[in-house]
Amino acid sequence: MNHPRRLDERARMTVRLTLLCAAARTERDVRFGDAPLDERALHRVRAVAGSLPRAATRCSAPSRRCTETARTLGWESVTPQPALRDLDMGSWYGRTLDEVAATDPSGLAGWLADPGAAPHGGESVTRMCDRVAVWLDALPPDVGRVLAVVEQAAARAAVVHALGAPHQAFWRIDVPPLSTVELTGRSGRWNLRMAELPLGPRPPR
């Protein structure tokens, strides 16, 4: 039988989650899908490695760019989290945004306007937001600090859920490669935490 005091202590525990958006290739011809990182992207990962918080639990989305980002950070082992995978782009996989706009302009417009739309036959934004929300809420309250390398779309979906925002807000959230999202969760409620800048030397008086 669970002791009421222990249940109360468990409810007060805080999950501290840092989502690191995976690095991305530096080429301009960006396509829907996954691709190995180039040397310039790997160099950027190595440059930020020392600025990330320590975490007892570390995991990654299963894509190649996410796992390569994690390995370049020096993680010896990476636990894949399928729930953090990128949007399934269906028939648009491997194509650029300009190519889709030229061949399926109405489908693209509908996809960007309606989070429930999936004109490519893959996954809608709504479905992705739902699966990321389930993953977030399933994190055990005693997990402590978690560091996860994720797709940009997964980071957007996490912010939407944390703020209780409508799914239409998904495209209004800008998360560049190697940016971080800080979330804290307690008793089923999530908060978005803005990181503080490190204090530099004081100016002379």
Side-chain angles (χ1 to χ4, degrees):
M1 181 176 180
N2 290 321
H3 195 281
R5 183 176 179 180
R6 291 182 180 177
L7 289 174
D8 184 60
E9 290 175 352
R10 189 176 177 86
R12 290 198 301 269
M13 293 179 181
T14 299
V15 178
R16 303 185 185 280
L17 173 64
T18 299
L19 302 176
L20 172 67
C21 292
R25 294 178 65 89
T26 51
E27 61 191 13
R28 293 183 178 180
D29 187 23
V30 178
R31 297 178 178 274
F32 293 121
D34 192 17
L37 301 179
D38 54 25
E39 186 53 41
R40 188 175 180 184
L42 294 173
H43 175 75
R44 291 179 175 177
V45 176
R46 289 189 284 267
V48 304
S51 63
L52 295 173
R54 295 183 179 180
T57 300
R58 298 185 298 195
C59 56
S60 168
S63 67
R64 186 169 182 178
R65 60 174 160 256
C66 286
T67 55
E68 285 188 359
T69 297
R71 284 197 297 266
T72 306
L73 290 172
W75 299 5
E76 294 183 0
S77 60
V78 181
T79 302
Q81 295 292 324
L84 301 179
R85 67 189 182 275
D86 203 1
L87 274 165
D88 177 0
M89 299 306 297
S91 61
W92 294 355
Y93 187 90
R95 302 168 69 184
T96 67
L97 189 65
D98 287 343
E99 289 171 349
V100 174
T103 58
D104 189 8
S106 61
L108 180 61
W111 180 64
L112 293 173
D114 178 8
H120 42 57
E123 183 180 31
S124 70
V125 167
T126 291
R127 289 188 62 184
M128 178 170 194
C129 287
D130 288 345
R131 66 169 158 86
V132 172
V134 169
W135 181 85
L136 285 171
D137 292 341
L139 289 171
D142 58 352
V143 72
R145 182 172 285 280
V146 180
L147 179 58
V149 178
V150 300
E151 304 287 351
Q152 290 172 289
R156 288 190 177 106
V159 172
V160 166
H161 179 60
L163 298 181
H167 292 163
Q168 285 85 350
F170 180 88
W171 294 116
R172 296 180 177 269
I173 301 168
D174 189 13
V175 279
L178 296 181
S179 62
T180 59
V181 174
E182 298 279 347
L183 300 175
T184 57
R186 179 187 296 177
S187 302
R189 177 178 177 178
W190 289 94
N191 293 318
L192 177 64
R193 182 179 184 275
M194 311 309 290
E196 298 179 42
L197 290 173
L199 295 176
R202 293 183 178 179
R205 293 183 178 180

